[in-house]
Amino acid sequence: ISMSKRIRLYAVAVSVTCALVVQQGSSQTMSGELALPRFSVSIGLGGGIHSAPFLVDYMNAFRVSQAGDRLDDFSSMLEFFVSPAYRVEPEWSVALEYSLLVKSQTVGSGPYSSGSEFSYNVHMPTAIVHYVINAPAYYLKFGGGIGYHTATLQQILYTYGVEENFSASGVGFKLE
C-alpha cells in the first residue's frame, strides 16, 4: 500500500553544521590582506547535529520497545549547500543559498514488530544578508535570511506493509 499526504506542520528544527566549504575567487592585496571578490560561490557538505522533537515523538509512537526507551531528540544529519554571493559594500554581501538537509532513521524491530524506516529531506532556498569581517588572513560572515522551505517525509512500516509519503512547506528563517 502506498499513500501520499499533505500535512500542516508548525515546528522548529535546530541544526548545527560543521562544513567543508570550497569558495572561488579570493586573492590577497599588496598589503597582504585578503581581498574579497565582488562575486563568489561557496559549495559545501556538512555533517552536524539536528533536533526536531516533533518528528522524534512521531517516530517513537511507532516504536515497540520497553518503557523509557526513546529515540534521542538530537541526532546526526547531512547538509549539502551552494551559495552564490555578491558583495555590495566592503562589509556587506547578499547571497541566494540552496541547502538540502538529509536524514534517515530506522526504528528497530521487536517481538511484535518488523521495524519501521523514516527518511526526510528538507529543501531550503534562502535569501541571506551577511555582515563581513575582513581580517589579514581570513574573513568571517555573520548573517541571516528568509526563504520558502519544503520538506518530504517517507515512512515505511514493515509490520503492516505500508509506505506513506508526507510533505510540508512554509516560510523558514536562517541565522549564520
Side-chain angles (χ1 to χ4, degrees):
I1 298 172
S2 181
M3 301 165 65
S4 183
K5 296 180 183 176
R6 177 115 176 107
I7 58 173
R8 186 170 303 273
L9 182 62
Y10 300 100
V12 175
V14 178
S15 299
V16 177
T17 306
C18 297
L20 170 63
V21 177
V22 177
Q23 182 162 341
Q24 161 277 329
S26 60
S27 60
Q28 288 191 331
T29 63
M30 296 291 279
S31 64
E33 288 185 356
L34 192 62
L36 297 177
R38 190 63 109 177
F39 178 79
S40 64
V41 176
S42 299
I43 300 171
L45 161 66
I49 298 171
H50 177 71
S51 175
F54 61 92
L55 197 52
V56 172
D57 290 343
Y58 181 75
M59 288 187 282
N60 278 323
F62 289 95
R63 194 165 186 198
V64 177
S65 61
Q66 296 176 345
D69 184 21
R70 291 181 31 89
L71 296 172
D72 291 331
D73 283 340
F74 288 89
S75 61
S76 62
M77 57 86 182
L78 283 176
E79 185 175 0
F80 304 92
F81 64 89
V82 60
S83 179
Y86 183 75
R87 188 171 45 93
V88 293
E89 294 288 330
E91 295 88 21
W92 293 98
S93 70
V94 293
L96 288 175
E97 179 178 282
Y98 171 76
S99 181
L100 172 64
L101 185 135
V102 179
K103 175 72 180 144
S104 181
Q105 181 77 47
T106 302
V107 176
S109 59
Y112 305 107
S113 171
S114 305
S116 303
E117 185 176 325
F118 299 88
S119 59
Y120 60 94
N121 299 319
V122 184
H123 300 270
M124 302 177 290
T126 308
I128 301 174
V129 175
H130 290 115
Y131 178 74
V132 181
I133 299 172
N134 193 10
Y138 62 90
Y139 67 93
L140 298 174
K141 291 182 181 180
F142 299 95
I146 188 170
Y148 192 76
H149 302 174
T150 60
T152 57
L153 169 68
Q154 180 185 38
Q155 154 184 298
I156 302 172
L157 305 173
Y158 295 113
T159 303
Y160 306 109
V162 173
E163 178 181 326
E164 293 183 293
N165 294 297
F166 302 94
S167 64
S169 57
V171 175
F173 301 94
K174 184 168 189 169
L175 292 175
E176 296 185 323

